[in-house]
Amino acid sequence: MCAKRCTDLDSFMQGVADRNPGEPEFHQAVREVAADVIPWMQDRPRYQEAQILERMAEPDRVVSFRVCWADDAGNIRANRGFRVQNNNAIGPYKGGLRFHPSVNQSILKFLAFEQTFKNSLTGLPMGGGKGGANFNPKGKSDGEVMRFCQSFMTELFRHVGDDTDVPAGDIGVGAREIGYMFGQYKRITNQFTGVLTGKGLEYGGSVMRPEATGYGAVYFLENMLHTRDQAIEGKSVAISGSGNVATFAAEKVLHRGGKVLTLSDSGGFVHDPDGIDEEKLAWIKELKGVRRGRISEYAERFPSASFHDKARPWSVPCDLALPCATQNEISAEDAKSLLANGCVAVSEGANMPTEIAGVDVFLEAKILFGPSKAANAGGVAMSGLEMSQNSARRALQPDELRRLLREIMDGIHARCHEAGRQDDGFCNYVRGANIAGFKKVADAMLAFGVV
Ligand code: NDP
Ligand code: 2IT
C-alpha cells in the first residue's frame, strides 16, 4: 500500500505492479479504472485518506485449490481451481466461473475487480467476485465434464453460499456445467438454495438469463446511438465470438433490423456479406451450443460466407462492432482499422476486449464506446434478479423480467452518461462507468470504517 496517499497514477500503478508481479491483465484493469478515479478523487480527500482505491485493488481473498478427476480412459487429471472474492461492500460476492486453459490468477483478479464496478452500476446489491479453472472443456465427454464439475464444487462449496458468494457462468461454463455444480452443492450441503445463478428453469433459474448479456449489450449500444439520433436499423455489425453473449447479441441486432456480418471463435472468423439471418443464427447456436463444433463449418454450410483462419473480424467494414469473445481481442491497430472503415460505435459484450491503447483510439476519435463493465452488465443484472426470485421463492413473469432488464440497462446508461458527459457534449462512457461504479462501493466502504 502507499505509505502516503497515492495522488498520481504512475506511483499508484507502481505499487500495484510491485504487489502483484506477473499479473498483466490485473494491472491493465486497475490502470483503466485508476486513470479516471485518481483525478476525480483530487478534490474528494475522504476517499484518498481512507485509501479506498488501494483497498478495492486488493481482493478480500483469493482461494486456489487442486481439482482432481478421472478421465474416460481412467487417467488421473489435476487442474487448478480459483475463487477471487474481490469486494463485498454492497452485497454478497457475485460473478461468473470460467473454465478455459488460459485461466490463471491474473485473469481472475482482473475479472473480479471489474465485476465489483459492474455490479455496482446495476444498482442491485451485489459485490464482486470471479472464479474458474484452467480446465479445457473442449473435446471432453459429458461424463468427464460432470466429474470435473463435481470435484471443483467439492472444494468450492465451503467458500460460497447464497448470502456469501454466488457464482454463475462465463467462458466454458453454461447450463450443463451449472447443473452439475448445483447438483453437487445440493448433495454436499443437503440444502436447496440460490447458491448459483444461470440455473435451469426447473430448479430455480430465471427466464431471460441466457439472453440477458447479449441483449443488454445491444440495449446499451442502442442507448448510445440514440444520443446521436441514430438507430441500429439498417446498420452493418461485426460481432466476435459465437458463444452465449455473441449469439444473443446477434439475435437482438436482428430484432432491431441490423445486418450481422461476422461471428468468430478461437479458430478464426466467418464473414457473410449476405448477413447472418435468424435461420443461420439458429444453425450456429446448434453448432456451437449442442454439437460443440467449430465456426469454420459455417462457411462450408453457407457458400456466401468466407472463413478467415486465426484472424479477428475487425478488418471487415462495418458501422457497429460488438466484441463478445474474450479480453484483449481489439488492439490499437484493430481499433484504427474499425475507424478507417467507418465504424461509429462499439459496445463491449466481452470483458475488457479492447486493449488500453485501443480504447484511447476510440476515445480520441470520439466515437460511441461502451466499456464492458457497463455494456455487458445485463447478464449479472439478470443474475441479481434470479437471486431475488430464489430468496422470495417466487418466479417473476417473463414480461416483467424483460421490462426489468431494459430498465436496468437504461439506468446504467443514464448513470454513465451523467458521470461521463464532457463540456463539448462528448460522453466518455469509460470515465462515466468508472466513477459511477466506484462511488457507490466507496461510500459503503467509508461507512464501515477500517475493515
Ligand atoms: P462462451 O464460452 O459461451 O463463448 C465464448 C466464445 O468466445 C466462443 O466463441 C469462444 O470460441 C470464443 N473465445 C473464447 N476464448 C477465446 C480466445 N482466447 N480467443 C478467441 N476466441 C475466444 O462464453 P460467453 O459468451 O459467456 O463469454 C464471452 C465473453 O463475455 C467473455 O469475455 C465473458 O467474460 C463475457 N461475459 C459473459 C457473460 C455471461 O453472462 N455469460 C456476462 C458478461 C460478460 P471457442 O468456441 O473456440 O472457445
Ligand atoms: O462477467 C460477468 O458479468 C458474468 N460472467 C456474469 C456473472 C454473473 O454472476 O451472472
mmCIF file of all heavy atoms in Angstrom, residues 98 100 111 118 130 138 169-173 209 213 241-246 264-267 288 293-294 324-327 349-351 376 379-380, ligand 1:
data_model
loop_
_atom_site.group_PDB
_atom_site.id
_atom_site.type_symbol
_atom_site.label_atom_id
_atom_site.label_comp_id
_atom_site.label_asym_id
_atom_site.label_seq_id
_atom_site.Cartn_x
_atom_site.Cartn_y
_atom_site.Cartn_z
ATOM 1 N N ARG A 98 -15.095 -19.284 -14.932
ATOM 2 C CA ARG A 98 -14.578 -19.506 -16.291
ATOM 3 C C ARG A 98 -13.769 -20.789 -16.324
ATOM 4 O O ARG A 98 -12.861 -20.964 -15.500
ATOM 5 C CB ARG A 98 -13.697 -18.312 -16.702
ATOM 6 C CG ARG A 98 -13.072 -18.472 -18.072
ATOM 7 C CD ARG A 98 -12.265 -17.244 -18.481
ATOM 8 N NE ARG A 98 -13.109 -16.076 -18.744
ATOM 9 C CZ ARG A 98 -12.678 -14.952 -19.308
ATOM 10 N NH1 ARG A 98 -11.412 -14.844 -19.690
ATOM 11 N NH2 ARG A 98 -13.494 -13.941 -19.498
ATOM 12 N N HIS A 100 -11.318 -22.486 -18.841
ATOM 13 C CA HIS A 100 -10.569 -22.280 -20.088
ATOM 14 C C HIS A 100 -9.097 -22.532 -19.765
ATOM 15 O O HIS A 100 -8.643 -22.180 -18.669
ATOM 16 C CB HIS A 100 -10.774 -20.830 -20.591
ATOM 17 C CG HIS A 100 -10.303 -20.604 -21.998
ATOM 18 N ND1 HIS A 100 -9.011 -20.244 -22.293
ATOM 19 C CD2 HIS A 100 -10.952 -20.697 -23.197
ATOM 20 C CE1 HIS A 100 -8.883 -20.124 -23.614
ATOM 21 N NE2 HIS A 100 -10.057 -20.394 -24.175
ATOM 22 N N LEU A 111 -10.940 -9.939 -13.662
ATOM 23 C CA LEU A 111 -12.392 -10.101 -13.833
ATOM 24 C C LEU A 111 -13.143 -9.786 -12.542
ATOM 25 O O LEU A 111 -14.201 -9.151 -12.573
ATOM 26 C CB LEU A 111 -12.701 -11.523 -14.316
ATOM 27 C CG LEU A 111 -12.293 -11.824 -15.774
ATOM 28 C CD1 LEU A 111 -12.230 -13.332 -16.042
ATOM 29 C CD2 LEU A 111 -13.264 -11.160 -16.759
ATOM 30 N N LYS A 118 -18.937 -3.228 -12.143
ATOM 31 C CA LYS A 118 -20.088 -3.577 -12.980
ATOM 32 C C LYS A 118 -21.321 -3.814 -12.112
ATOM 33 O O LYS A 118 -22.406 -3.283 -12.380
ATOM 34 C CB LYS A 118 -19.761 -4.854 -13.762
ATOM 35 C CG LYS A 118 -20.811 -5.289 -14.747
ATOM 36 C CD LYS A 118 -20.611 -6.732 -15.220
ATOM 37 C CE LYS A 118 -19.224 -6.991 -15.781
ATOM 38 N NZ LYS A 118 -19.155 -8.302 -16.486
ATOM 39 N N LYS A 130 -15.033 -13.584 -8.877
ATOM 40 C CA LYS A 130 -14.880 -14.365 -10.125
ATOM 41 C C LYS A 130 -14.099 -15.623 -9.784
ATOM 42 O O LYS A 130 -13.325 -15.629 -8.827
ATOM 43 C CB LYS A 130 -14.088 -13.562 -11.164
ATOM 44 C CG LYS A 130 -14.326 -14.010 -12.582
ATOM 45 C CD LYS A 130 -15.581 -13.386 -13.153
ATOM 46 C CE LYS A 130 -15.906 -13.929 -14.521
ATOM 47 N NZ LYS A 130 -16.978 -13.135 -15.151
ATOM 48 N N LYS A 138 -13.257 -28.369 -23.992
ATOM 49 C CA LYS A 138 -13.321 -28.788 -25.412
ATOM 50 C C LYS A 138 -12.842 -30.233 -25.561
ATOM 51 O O LYS A 138 -11.795 -30.612 -25.041
ATOM 52 C CB LYS A 138 -12.411 -27.897 -26.260
ATOM 53 C CG LYS A 138 -13.039 -26.573 -26.580
ATOM 54 C CD LYS A 138 -12.415 -25.965 -27.847
ATOM 55 C CE LYS A 138 -12.760 -24.508 -27.926
ATOM 56 N NZ LYS A 138 -11.812 -23.645 -27.209
ATOM 57 N N GLY A 169 -22.117 -18.526 -14.668
ATOM 58 C CA GLY A 169 -21.310 -18.965 -15.798
ATOM 59 C C GLY A 169 -20.423 -17.866 -16.356
ATOM 60 O O GLY A 169 -20.536 -16.695 -15.998
ATOM 61 N N ASP A 170 -19.527 -18.257 -17.219
ATOM 62 C CA ASP A 170 -18.679 -17.352 -18.013
ATOM 63 C C ASP A 170 -18.133 -18.244 -19.140
ATOM 64 O O ASP A 170 -18.775 -19.256 -19.477
ATOM 65 C CB ASP A 170 -17.563 -16.754 -17.137
ATOM 66 C CG ASP A 170 -16.840 -15.588 -17.812
ATOM 67 O OD1 ASP A 170 -17.387 -14.474 -17.818
ATOM 68 O OD2 ASP A 170 -15.741 -15.787 -18.369
ATOM 69 N N ILE A 171 -17.001 -17.914 -19.715
ATOM 70 C CA ILE A 171 -16.474 -18.722 -20.816
ATOM 71 C C ILE A 171 -16.347 -20.189 -20.369
ATOM 72 O O ILE A 171 -15.781 -20.465 -19.309
ATOM 73 C CB ILE A 171 -15.099 -18.188 -21.286
ATOM 74 C CG1 ILE A 171 -15.268 -16.820 -21.961
ATOM 75 C CG2 ILE A 171 -14.429 -19.175 -22.238
ATOM 76 C CD1 ILE A 171 -13.958 -16.173 -22.381
ATOM 77 N N GLY A 172 -16.908 -21.079 -21.158
ATOM 78 C CA GLY A 172 -16.772 -22.510 -20.888
ATOM 79 C C GLY A 172 -17.686 -23.027 -19.796
ATOM 80 O O GLY A 172 -17.642 -24.220 -19.476
ATOM 81 N N VAL A 173 -18.475 -22.163 -19.204
ATOM 82 C CA VAL A 173 -19.425 -22.598 -18.166
ATOM 83 C C VAL A 173 -20.819 -22.126 -18.571
ATOM 84 O O VAL A 173 -21.101 -20.923 -18.550
ATOM 85 C CB VAL A 173 -19.042 -22.054 -16.767
ATOM 86 C CG1 VAL A 173 -20.093 -22.463 -15.732
ATOM 87 C CG2 VAL A 173 -17.665 -22.573 -16.354
ATOM 88 N N ARG A 209 -32.197 -15.202 -18.440
ATOM 89 C CA ARG A 209 -30.772 -15.176 -18.068
ATOM 90 C C ARG A 209 -29.877 -15.520 -19.253
ATOM 91 O O ARG A 209 -28.867 -14.833 -19.467
ATOM 92 C CB ARG A 209 -30.494 -16.094 -16.856
ATOM 93 C CG ARG A 209 -28.995 -16.137 -16.437
ATOM 94 C CD ARG A 209 -28.506 -14.781 -16.007
ATOM 95 N NE ARG A 209 -27.065 -14.685 -15.810
ATOM 96 C CZ ARG A 209 -26.162 -14.396 -16.750
ATOM 97 N NH1 ARG A 209 -26.530 -14.201 -18.008
ATOM 98 N NH2 ARG A 209 -24.877 -14.295 -16.445
ATOM 99 N N THR A 213 -27.079 -11.021 -21.278
ATOM 100 C CA THR A 213 -25.829 -10.282 -21.532
ATOM 101 C C THR A 213 -25.813 -9.727 -22.956
ATOM 102 O O THR A 213 -25.534 -8.539 -23.180
ATOM 103 C CB THR A 213 -24.601 -11.178 -21.306
ATOM 104 O OG1 THR A 213 -24.747 -11.866 -20.075
ATOM 105 C CG2 THR A 213 -23.332 -10.366 -21.299
ATOM 106 N N GLY A 241 -16.841 -13.809 -31.414
ATOM 107 C CA GLY A 241 -17.365 -14.855 -30.553
ATOM 108 C C GLY A 241 -18.546 -15.540 -31.223
ATOM 109 O O GLY A 241 -19.104 -15.039 -32.225
ATOM 110 N N SER A 242 -18.914 -16.694 -30.678
ATOM 111 C CA SER A 242 -20.111 -17.401 -31.148
ATOM 112 C C SER A 242 -20.686 -18.216 -30.002
ATOM 113 O O SER A 242 -21.338 -19.232 -30.210
ATOM 114 C CB SER A 242 -19.772 -18.304 -32.338
ATOM 115 O OG SER A 242 -18.650 -19.114 -32.022
ATOM 116 N N GLY A 243 -20.445 -17.734 -28.783
ATOM 117 C CA GLY A 243 -20.976 -18.393 -27.596
ATOM 118 C C GLY A 243 -22.215 -17.687 -27.097
ATOM 119 O O GLY A 243 -22.970 -17.071 -27.867
ATOM 120 N N ASN A 244 -22.422 -17.775 -25.796
ATOM 121 C CA ASN A 244 -23.644 -17.226 -25.202
ATOM 122 C C ASN A 244 -23.826 -15.751 -25.537
ATOM 123 O O ASN A 244 -24.878 -15.338 -26.049
ATOM 124 C CB ASN A 244 -23.589 -17.439 -23.680
ATOM 125 C CG ASN A 244 -24.691 -16.701 -22.955
ATOM 126 O OD1 ASN A 244 -24.492 -15.596 -22.475
ATOM 127 N ND2 ASN A 244 -25.869 -17.290 -22.901
ATOM 128 N N VAL A 245 -22.835 -14.941 -25.256
ATOM 129 C CA VAL A 245 -23.001 -13.489 -25.396
ATOM 130 C C VAL A 245 -23.145 -13.105 -26.867
ATOM 131 O O VAL A 245 -24.049 -12.349 -27.250
ATOM 132 C CB VAL A 245 -21.822 -12.740 -24.729
ATOM 133 C CG1 VAL A 245 -21.999 -11.237 -24.873
ATOM 134 C CG2 VAL A 245 -21.706 -13.125 -23.254
ATOM 135 N N ALA A 246 -22.267 -13.643 -27.708
ATOM 136 C CA ALA A 246 -22.263 -13.266 -29.132
ATOM 137 C C ALA A 246 -23.566 -13.645 -29.826
ATOM 138 O O ALA A 246 -24.132 -12.841 -30.588
ATOM 139 C CB ALA A 246 -21.085 -13.949 -29.833
ATOM 140 N N SER A 264 -17.248 -15.334 -34.705
ATOM 141 C CA SER A 264 -15.915 -15.955 -34.673
ATOM 142 C C SER A 264 -15.827 -16.984 -33.549
ATOM 143 O O SER A 264 -16.723 -17.097 -32.717
ATOM 144 C CB SER A 264 -14.846 -14.881 -34.462
ATOM 145 O OG SER A 264 -14.868 -14.395 -33.128
ATOM 146 N N ASP A 265 -14.721 -17.725 -33.537
ATOM 147 C CA ASP A 265 -14.328 -18.476 -32.348
ATOM 148 C C ASP A 265 -12.810 -18.450 -32.294
ATOM 149 O O ASP A 265 -12.168 -17.696 -33.055
ATOM 150 C CB ASP A 265 -14.956 -19.881 -32.291
ATOM 151 C CG ASP A 265 -14.479 -20.826 -33.386
ATOM 152 O OD1 ASP A 265 -13.458 -20.532 -34.036
ATOM 153 O OD2 ASP A 265 -15.146 -21.853 -33.588
ATOM 154 N N SER A 266 -12.225 -19.260 -31.419
ATOM 155 C CA SER A 266 -10.778 -19.150 -31.264
ATOM 156 C C SER A 266 -10.031 -19.636 -32.501
ATOM 157 O O SER A 266 -8.824 -19.415 -32.622
ATOM 158 C CB SER A 266 -10.316 -19.899 -30.013
ATOM 159 O OG SER A 266 -10.839 -21.207 -30.023
ATOM 160 N N GLY A 267 -10.738 -20.247 -33.466
ATOM 161 C CA GLY A 267 -10.082 -20.698 -34.695
ATOM 162 C C GLY A 267 -10.059 -19.656 -35.803
ATOM 163 O O GLY A 267 -9.294 -19.778 -36.761
ATOM 164 N N LYS A 288 -22.610 -24.563 -32.144
ATOM 165 C CA LYS A 288 -21.692 -24.258 -31.034
ATOM 166 C C LYS A 288 -22.219 -24.769 -29.697
ATOM 167 O O LYS A 288 -21.452 -25.221 -28.859
ATOM 168 C CB LYS A 288 -21.438 -22.736 -30.952
ATOM 169 C CG LYS A 288 -20.731 -22.142 -32.147
ATOM 170 C CD LYS A 288 -19.315 -22.658 -32.339
ATOM 171 C CE LYS A 288 -18.333 -22.244 -31.258
ATOM 172 N NZ LYS A 288 -16.951 -22.675 -31.555
ATOM 173 N N GLY A 293 -19.255 -27.655 -32.162
ATOM 174 C CA GLY A 293 -18.403 -27.660 -33.353
ATOM 175 C C GLY A 293 -17.601 -26.372 -33.492
ATOM 176 O O GLY A 293 -17.500 -25.570 -32.557
ATOM 177 N N ARG A 294 -17.020 -26.168 -34.692
ATOM 178 C CA ARG A 294 -16.161 -25.011 -34.969
ATOM 179 C C ARG A 294 -16.870 -24.059 -35.927
ATOM 180 O O ARG A 294 -17.580 -24.504 -36.849
ATOM 181 C CB ARG A 294 -14.826 -25.453 -35.595
ATOM 182 C CG ARG A 294 -14.121 -26.578 -34.866
ATOM 183 C CD ARG A 294 -13.865 -26.270 -33.397
ATOM 184 N NE ARG A 294 -13.134 -25.017 -33.211
ATOM 185 C CZ ARG A 294 -13.217 -24.260 -32.103
ATOM 186 N NH1 ARG A 294 -14.008 -24.613 -31.116
ATOM 187 N NH2 ARG A 294 -12.523 -23.155 -32.004
ATOM 188 N N CYS A 324 -17.459 -9.835 -28.458
ATOM 189 C CA CYS A 324 -18.174 -10.692 -27.494
ATOM 190 C C CYS A 324 -17.451 -12.015 -27.259
ATOM 191 O O CYS A 324 -18.094 -13.017 -26.921
ATOM 192 C CB CYS A 324 -19.587 -10.986 -27.999
ATOM 193 S SG CYS A 324 -20.634 -9.527 -28.140
ATOM 194 N N ALA A 325 -16.106 -12.048 -27.448
ATOM 195 C CA ALA A 325 -15.388 -13.317 -27.257
ATOM 196 C C ALA A 325 -14.572 -13.305 -25.968
ATOM 197 O O ALA A 325 -14.870 -14.034 -25.029
ATOM 198 C CB ALA A 325 -14.502 -13.608 -28.461
ATOM 199 N N THR A 326 -13.541 -12.429 -25.895
ATOM 200 C CA THR A 326 -12.633 -12.526 -24.747
ATOM 201 C C THR A 326 -11.845 -11.235 -24.560
ATOM 202 O O THR A 326 -12.040 -10.275 -25.317
ATOM 203 C CB THR A 326 -11.692 -13.739 -24.951
ATOM 204 O OG1 THR A 326 -11.010 -14.026 -23.725
ATOM 205 C CG2 THR A 326 -10.673 -13.491 -26.044
ATOM 206 N N GLN A 327 -10.960 -11.221 -23.546
ATOM 207 C CA GLN A 327 -10.192 -9.990 -23.266
ATOM 208 C C GLN A 327 -9.121 -9.742 -24.335
ATOM 209 O O GLN A 327 -8.605 -10.670 -24.929
ATOM 210 C CB GLN A 327 -9.539 -10.031 -21.876
ATOM 211 C CG GLN A 327 -8.469 -11.068 -21.660
ATOM 212 C CD GLN A 327 -9.021 -12.417 -21.260
ATOM 213 O OE1 GLN A 327 -10.212 -12.575 -21.108
ATOM 214 N NE2 GLN A 327 -8.147 -13.399 -21.092
ATOM 215 N N GLY A 349 -19.398 -6.589 -25.329
ATOM 216 C CA GLY A 349 -20.117 -7.695 -24.704
ATOM 217 C C GLY A 349 -19.196 -8.557 -23.867
ATOM 218 O O GLY A 349 -19.581 -9.079 -22.827
ATOM 219 N N ALA A 350 -17.956 -8.724 -24.325
ATOM 220 C CA ALA A 350 -16.954 -9.473 -23.550
ATOM 221 C C ALA A 350 -16.387 -8.576 -22.453
ATOM 222 O O ALA A 350 -16.658 -7.374 -22.416
ATOM 223 C CB ALA A 350 -15.844 -9.952 -24.477
ATOM 224 N N ASN A 351 -15.604 -9.147 -21.559
ATOM 225 C CA ASN A 351 -14.948 -8.365 -20.509
ATOM 226 C C ASN A 351 -13.583 -7.890 -20.986
ATOM 227 O O ASN A 351 -12.740 -8.709 -21.374
ATOM 228 C CB ASN A 351 -14.794 -9.228 -19.245
ATOM 229 C CG ASN A 351 -16.098 -9.321 -18.475
ATOM 230 O OD1 ASN A 351 -16.722 -8.306 -18.167
ATOM 231 N ND2 ASN A 351 -16.536 -10.538 -18.172
ATOM 232 N N ASN A 376 -21.916 -4.855 -20.691
ATOM 233 C CA ASN A 376 -22.295 -6.270 -20.556
ATOM 234 C C ASN A 376 -22.886 -6.605 -19.190
ATOM 235 O O ASN A 376 -22.982 -7.782 -18.816
ATOM 236 C CB ASN A 376 -21.129 -7.201 -20.936
ATOM 237 C CG ASN A 376 -20.036 -7.263 -19.887
ATOM 238 O OD1 ASN A 376 -20.279 -7.108 -18.683
ATOM 239 N ND2 ASN A 376 -18.822 -7.523 -20.317
ATOM 240 N N GLY A 379 -26.148 -9.372 -17.992
ATOM 241 C CA GLY A 379 -26.112 -10.766 -17.530
ATOM 242 C C GLY A 379 -26.131 -10.850 -16.020
ATOM 243 O O GLY A 379 -26.963 -11.558 -15.424
ATOM 244 N N VAL A 380 -25.234 -10.107 -15.409
ATOM 245 C CA VAL A 380 -25.187 -10.177 -13.940
ATOM 246 C C VAL A 380 -26.429 -9.517 -13.336
ATOM 247 O O VAL A 380 -26.883 -9.907 -12.254
ATOM 248 C CB VAL A 380 -23.863 -9.599 -13.390
ATOM 249 C CG1 VAL A 380 -23.831 -8.085 -13.422
ATOM 250 C CG2 VAL A 380 -23.637 -10.101 -11.964
HETATM 251 P P1 NDP B 1 -18.847 -18.857 -24.215
HETATM 252 O O1 NDP B 1 -17.958 -19.891 -23.656
HETATM 253 O O2 NDP B 1 -20.288 -19.138 -24.384
HETATM 254 O O3 NDP B 1 -18.287 -18.355 -25.621
HETATM 255 C C1 NDP B 1 -17.022 -17.834 -25.743
HETATM 256 C C2 NDP B 1 -16.761 -17.502 -27.197
HETATM 257 O O4 NDP B 1 -15.558 -16.751 -27.291
HETATM 258 C C3 NDP B 1 -16.562 -18.747 -28.051
HETATM 259 O O5 NDP B 1 -16.962 -18.471 -29.362
HETATM 260 C C4 NDP B 1 -15.063 -18.948 -27.957
HETATM 261 O O6 NDP B 1 -14.501 -19.695 -29.030
HETATM 262 C C5 NDP B 1 -14.577 -17.515 -28.005
HETATM 263 N N1 NDP B 1 -13.279 -17.409 -27.316
HETATM 264 C C6 NDP B 1 -13.001 -17.774 -26.043
HETATM 265 N N2 NDP B 1 -11.718 -17.549 -25.759
HETATM 266 C C7 NDP B 1 -11.178 -17.069 -26.885
HETATM 267 C C8 NDP B 1 -9.878 -16.656 -27.228
HETATM 268 N N3 NDP B 1 -8.873 -16.702 -26.340
HETATM 269 N N4 NDP B 1 -9.675 -16.190 -28.489
HETATM 270 C C9 NDP B 1 -10.696 -16.140 -29.393
HETATM 271 N N5 NDP B 1 -11.944 -16.521 -29.113
HETATM 272 C C10 NDP B 1 -12.174 -16.977 -27.885
HETATM 273 O O7 NDP B 1 -18.625 -17.579 -23.269
HETATM 274 P P2 NDP B 1 -19.542 -16.287 -23.113
HETATM 275 O O8 NDP B 1 -20.209 -15.960 -24.379
HETATM 276 O O9 NDP B 1 -20.334 -16.469 -21.879
HETATM 277 O O10 NDP B 1 -18.435 -15.179 -22.770
HETATM 278 C C11 NDP B 1 -17.851 -14.348 -23.772
HETATM 279 C C12 NDP B 1 -17.313 -13.095 -23.122
HETATM 280 O O11 NDP B 1 -18.386 -12.401 -22.464
HETATM 281 C C13 NDP B 1 -16.259 -13.297 -22.032
HETATM 282 O O12 NDP B 1 -15.362 -12.211 -22.050
HETATM 283 C C14 NDP B 1 -17.069 -13.267 -20.754
HETATM 284 O O13 NDP B 1 -16.286 -12.917 -19.638
HETATM 285 C C15 NDP B 1 -18.059 -12.167 -21.093
HETATM 286 N N6 NDP B 1 -19.285 -12.110 -20.325
HETATM 287 C C16 NDP B 1 -20.114 -13.194 -20.211
HETATM 288 C C17 NDP B 1 -21.291 -13.084 -19.505
HETATM 289 C C18 NDP B 1 -22.267 -14.182 -19.432
HETATM 290 O O14 NDP B 1 -23.361 -13.968 -18.876
HETATM 291 N N7 NDP B 1 -22.001 -15.359 -19.968
HETATM 292 C C19 NDP B 1 -21.656 -11.835 -18.791
HETATM 293 C C20 NDP B 1 -20.758 -10.736 -19.054
HETATM 294 C C21 NDP B 1 -19.617 -10.900 -19.770
HETATM 295 P P3 NDP B 1 -14.205 -21.266 -28.880
HETATM 296 O O15 NDP B 1 -15.530 -21.930 -29.057
HETATM 297 O O16 NDP B 1 -13.206 -21.553 -29.920
HETATM 298 O O17 NDP B 1 -13.649 -21.454 -27.490
#
